[in-house]
């Protein structure tokens, strides 16, 4: 066997074995939000001063408000493990009277804003969904998580109009201003 | 630098057939082991990746994001989602929304058997066939509601450790104290579904005495909807206690869960390969020691130490490449597609190009690493000393 024949054989074997490596990546979810295309949340929606006359109890407000009512109330961000929606200006708040896991001594909960110590029924009575919407009433396509300091258990005062309220306990407010405590 | 002829290295392999056979056998063993470990890791990862459809979203109960089996949703969730959420794919007006119950139950061939293997049983409606396009019924038909009938995946027999004829169409399986007739067989290649049992949603709810769902799986129309819309819906319908995840994200979480198992397997293969390297070092030491005079003579003839080293590495690489190729051939013939059971079901080992390349690389690396120390030791000796050896 000549020198070149042996070389060619060895090279061919290696090339054959190494060929056909998969180049494609696993399919990525088509629904990933395009961060670059997200509009910013208007600064005017974040209030510099605390609105006057904020109702202290979200539970009481839920019981008396109906769709279209203007409301101002105090609450804390939380009520779910992730109270924010990625890619949409929506977040969940809970009544300030609700005790978070962080306020329970000896509780090592890593996500105290989800109020997981409460029963689902009690939690539902105490929570509301807040949206920043566009002129058509659709939520703005931007995440508000960590925007202007908005994060889990942050105390806020929400001013807006009730857009959904039903007997099941759902309560959605389209906010025209939110004040965030320091 | 003048190199030794390539034929010199090739012919040297035939001078001591036993040594060459040992070297090829050792390389073959290590490469086969690495190939097996890589095929396991690739098979498991692919089965979890392929199980997800890119436009699918899973709605789970809040707080049960890591496990469908633990998740509980109100039965009405599927209907509410289908009626309220925009952007869901539809065919002839039928929304791609599949309410499902997933439970792991012990499955046996006969009622008298005390214990069987835990198998995922999925209660579905006809919408399941819309949202799981990878699934195809290859024999029989869909179970009829109220008849205790099941469809079984192609790999179910492997999962249960039974011969395929025991889960064939017409046979009976037992779970939850009841007999279930196999009326069809499906194929969902490369997915975890392939080792599952599917039955009518309401039948499974009756036997498990639950009125809730495990999850709702929906397919989005990419032109009209995106994951954020489903998550926004979940945040506004707090009464349903939903969490929306991309199906790919859910399976990526499972993939991460099984990472320690994969690391352990690769580590074990690595340790055994290390043993192979040490064994190869011993063989090479003994082989080179007996050739000290020959290597000294080559230096006298004018070949530099570097050229002799290259020739020794060539010699070793040819032997190890042959062993690795034998291992790859055997691995492809014996391991590719072989079923492996795990808690999610069963998956097939995958011997693809990357796996073959890994095994070949391991074999060749073994050849180089096993040659260098004894070669350096021998070539560092003075020429007269080598000639006197």
């Amino acid at each position: 066997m000549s020198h070149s024949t042996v070389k060619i054989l060895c090279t061919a074997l290696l090339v054959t074995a190494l060929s056909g490596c998969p180049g494609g990546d696993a399919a990525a979810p088509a629904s990933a939000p395009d961060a670059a295309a997200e509009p910013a949340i208007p600064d005017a929606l974040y209030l510099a001063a605390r609105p006057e006359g904020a109702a202290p109890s979200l539970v009481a407000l839920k019981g008396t408000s109906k769709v279209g009512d203007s409301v101002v109330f105090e609450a804390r961000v939380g009520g779910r493990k992730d109270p924010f929606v990625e890619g949409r200006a929506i977040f969940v708040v809970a009544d300030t009277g609700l005790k978070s896991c962080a306020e329970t001594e000896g509780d090592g909960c890593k996500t105290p804003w989800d109020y997981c110590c409460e029963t689902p029924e009690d939690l539902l009575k105490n929570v509301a969904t807040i949206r920043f919407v566009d002129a058509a009433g659709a939520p703005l396509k931007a995440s508000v998580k960590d925007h202007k300091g908005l994060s889990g258990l942050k105390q806020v005062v929400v001013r807006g109009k009730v857009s959904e309220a039903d007997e099941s306990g759902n309560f959605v407010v389209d906010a025209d201003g939110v004040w965030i405590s320091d | 630098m003048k190199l030794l002829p390539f034929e010199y290295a090739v012919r040297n392999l035939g001078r001591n057939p036993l040594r060459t056979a040992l070297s090829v056998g050792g390389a073959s063993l290590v490469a086969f082991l690495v190939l097996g470990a890589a095929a396991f890791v690739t098979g498991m990862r692919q089965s979890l990746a392929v199980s997800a459809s890119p436009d699918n979203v899973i709605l789970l109960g809040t707080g049960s994001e890591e496990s469908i089996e633990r998740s509980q949703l109100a039965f009405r969730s599927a209907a509410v989602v289908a009626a309220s959420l925009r952007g869901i794919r539809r065919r002839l007006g039928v929304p791609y929304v599949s309410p499902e119950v997933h439970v792991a139950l012990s499955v046996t061939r006969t009622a008298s058997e005390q214990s069987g293997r835990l198998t995922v049983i999925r209660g579905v409606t006809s919408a399941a066939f819309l949202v799981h396009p990878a699934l195809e019924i290859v024999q029989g038909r869909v179970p009829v509601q109220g008849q205790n009938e099941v469809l079984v995946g192609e790999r179910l027999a492997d999962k249960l450790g039974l011969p395929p004829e025991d889960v064939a169409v017409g046979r009976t399986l037992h779970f939850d104290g009841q007999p279930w007739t196999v009326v069809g067989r499906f194929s969902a290649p490369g997915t975890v579904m392939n080792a599952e049992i599917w039955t009518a949603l309401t039948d499974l709810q009756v036997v498990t005495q639950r009125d809730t769902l495990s999850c709702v799986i929906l397919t989005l129309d990419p032109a009209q909807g995106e994951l954020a819309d489903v998550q926004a819906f979940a945040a506004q319908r707090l009464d349903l206690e939903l969490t929306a995840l991309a199906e790919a994200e859910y399976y990526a979480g499972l993939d991460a869960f099984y990472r320690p198992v994969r690391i352990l397997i690769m580590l074990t293969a690595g340790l055994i390969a290390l043993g192979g390297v040490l064994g190869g070092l011993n063989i090479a030491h003994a082989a080179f020691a007996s050739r000290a005079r020959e290597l000294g003579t080559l230096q006298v003839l004018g070949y530099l130490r570097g050229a002799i080293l290259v020739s020794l590495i060539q010699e070793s690489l040819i032997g190890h490449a042959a062993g690795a190729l034998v291992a790859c051939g055997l691995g492809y013939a014996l391991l590719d597609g072989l079923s492996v059971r795990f808690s999610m079901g069963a998956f097939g080992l995958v011997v693809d190009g990357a796996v073959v390349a890994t095994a070949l690389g391991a074999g060749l690396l073994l050849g180089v690493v096993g040659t260098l120390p004894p070669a350096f030791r021998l070539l560092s000796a003075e020429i007269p000393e080598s000639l006197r050896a």
Side-chain angles (χ1 to χ4, degrees):
Chain A
M1 197 182 288
S2 71
H3 188 172
S4 56
T5 312
V6 174
K7 272 186 176 172
I8 289 167
L9 270 176
C10 289
T11 311
L13 277 172
L14 277 175
V15 168
T16 307
L18 293 173
S19 63
C21 299
D25 199 1
S31 46
D34 184 358
E38 285 182 0
I41 307 288
D43 281 346
L45 291 172
Y46 294 100
L47 304 175
R50 182 188 167 101
E52 295 295 320
S57 169
L58 173 57
V59 181
L61 193 74
K62 282 177 76 170
T64 56
S65 303
K66 53 187 188 300
V67 173
D69 285 357
S70 292
V71 290
V72 181
F73 63 95
E74 199 172 331
R76 281 203 295 182
V77 177
R80 286 165 63 88
K81 191 175 175 184
D82 188 357
F84 300 96
V85 175
E86 188 65 40
R88 294 290 182 273
I90 296 177
F91 59 102
V92 179
V93 295
D95 192 293
T96 50
L98 211 59
K99 201 173 172 183
S100 83
C101 306
E103 293 160 302
T104 307
E105 202 173 323
D107 193 312
C109 183
K110 289 178 181 170
T111 53
W113 53 84
D114 62 7
Y115 296 92
C116 59
C117 312
E118 300 293 331
T119 64
E121 294 76 23
D122 284 345
L123 189 57
L124 185 58
K125 287 178 196 161
N126 284 274
V127 290
T129 305
I130 312 301
R131 314 191 303 176
F132 290 144
V133 297
D134 60 18
L140 296 176
K141 291 188 175 184
S143 178
V144 292
K145 187 176 185 178
D146 296 327
H147 200 224
K148 307 279 183 188
L150 206 56
S151 58
L153 291 181
K154 203 77 174 174
Q155 192 134 348
V156 293
V157 174
V158 179
R159 190 184 69 197
K161 275 193 175 174
V162 179
S163 62
E164 276 181 55
D166 60 33
E167 291 175 351
S168 301
N170 299 304
F171 192 73
V172 182
V173 175
D174 291 346
D176 57 38
V178 170
W179 174 81
I180 306 164
S181 76
D182 293 330
Chain B
M1 184 171 66
K2 186 187 172 194
L3 293 176
L4 274 84
F6 188 67
E7 288 86 343
Y8 184 81
V10 176
R11 285 176 187 154
N12 262 331
L13 288 168
R15 283 169 55 189
N16 190 338
L18 179 65
R19 179 167 56 82
T20 304
L22 279 174
S23 172
V24 170
S28 189
L29 205 65
V30 169
F32 188 80
L33 196 82
V34 171
L35 183 126
F40 179 93
V41 169
T42 307
M44 180 185 265
R45 297 206 74 170
Q46 280 190 8
S47 76
L48 292 174
V50 173
S51 297
S53 297
D55 297 323
N56 275 8
V57 176
I58 301 185
L59 291 169
L60 296 164
T62 306
S64 306
E65 291 84 355
E66 281 99 28
S67 169
I68 285 183
E69 280 89 354
R70 273 197 329 214
S71 164
Q72 301 225 29
L73 297 182
F75 188 73
R76 66 193 170 102
S77 301
V80 174
V81 167
S84 317
L85 193 60
R86 289 180 192 169
I88 295 174
R89 188 179 294 171
R90 287 172 190 271
R91 181 182 286 179
L92 300 172
V94 179
Y96 282 48
V97 176
S98 171
E100 299 183 4
V101 168
H102 296 219
V103 288
L105 295 174
S106 175
V107 177
T108 59
R109 272 180 302 185
T110 61
S112 57
E113 280 179 64
Q114 290 301 308
S115 64
R117 287 213 165 104
L118 276 181
T119 304
V120 173
I121 313 206
R122 198 184 288 226
V124 296
T125 64
S126 56
F129 300 97
L130 292 174
V131 302
H132 299 292
L135 187 141
E136 181 188 357
I137 296 177
V138 292
Q139 191 186 2
R141 58 173 174 79
V142 174
V144 173
Q145 191 176 313
Q147 300 295 316
N148 274 22
E149 294 177 342
V150 292
L151 258 180
V152 299
E154 273 187 327
R155 286 195 185 274
L156 179 69
D158 297 326
K159 168 72 180 166
L160 295 176
L162 297 174
E165 54 270 22
D166 282 357
V167 296
V169 173
R171 301 299 291 259
T172 303
L173 295 171
H174 290 77
F175 55 84
D176 215 57
Q178 295 191 27
W180 298 77
T181 308
V182 179
V183 296
R185 201 164 57 85
F186 66 81
S187 165
T191 71
V192 291
M193 292 183 287
N194 227 5
E196 291 181 356
I197 295 174
W198 282 26
T199 186
L201 175 66
T202 47
D203 288 9
L204 192 58
Q205 283 185 308
V206 168
V207 295
T208 55
Q209 297 181 344
R210 63 185 284 176
D211 56 3
T212 57
L213 301 171
S214 300
C215 65
V216 173
I217 301 179
L218 59 92
T219 305
L220 290 171
D221 181 344
Q224 296 181 41
E226 54 186 75
L227 177 62
D229 295 322
V230 189
Q231 289 175 331
F233 171 80
Q236 291 170 81
R237 284 304 304 260
L238 296 172
D239 59 320
L240 297 175
E241 297 174 43
L242 302 174
T243 295
L245 290 175
E247 200 175 31
E249 190 185 343
Y250 175 76
Y251 283 104
L254 286 181
D255 184 63
F257 176 78
Y258 286 109
R259 190 178 298 140
V261 176
R262 292 195 300 271
I263 290 172
L264 201 65
I265 283 170
M266 289 308 283
L267 202 65
T268 307
L271 284 174
I272 296 174
L274 188 67
V277 169
L278 295 175
L281 278 174
N282 272 335
I283 294 173
H285 262 296
F288 291 172
S290 66
R291 291 168 62 186
R293 195 176 298 169
E294 171 200 334
L295 301 186
T297 308
L298 286 173
Q299 290 179 67
V300 170
L301 290 174
Y303 289 105
L304 295 177
R305 287 189 171 101
I308 299 170
L309 179 66
V310 169
S311 180
L312 290 173
I313 290 174
Q314 281 176 343
E315 188 181 322
S316 175
L317 279 180
I318 294 167
H320 282 78
L325 283 172
V326 168
C328 291
L330 279 176
Y332 188 74
L334 301 176
L335 299 183
D336 192 39
L338 191 73
S339 283
V340 177
R341 284 192 295 273
F342 76 135
S343 60
M344 292 286 300
F347 63 88
L349 297 184
V350 174
V351 181
D352 59 7
V355 171
V356 168
T358 306
L360 272 179
L364 296 178
L365 190 69
L366 188 69
V368 176
V369 174
T371 305
L372 288 177
F376 278 135
R377 185 168 168 267
L378 205 66
L379 291 171
S380 61
E382 295 296 325
I383 295 176
E385 192 185 327
S386 297
L387 291 174
R388 278 198 299 271

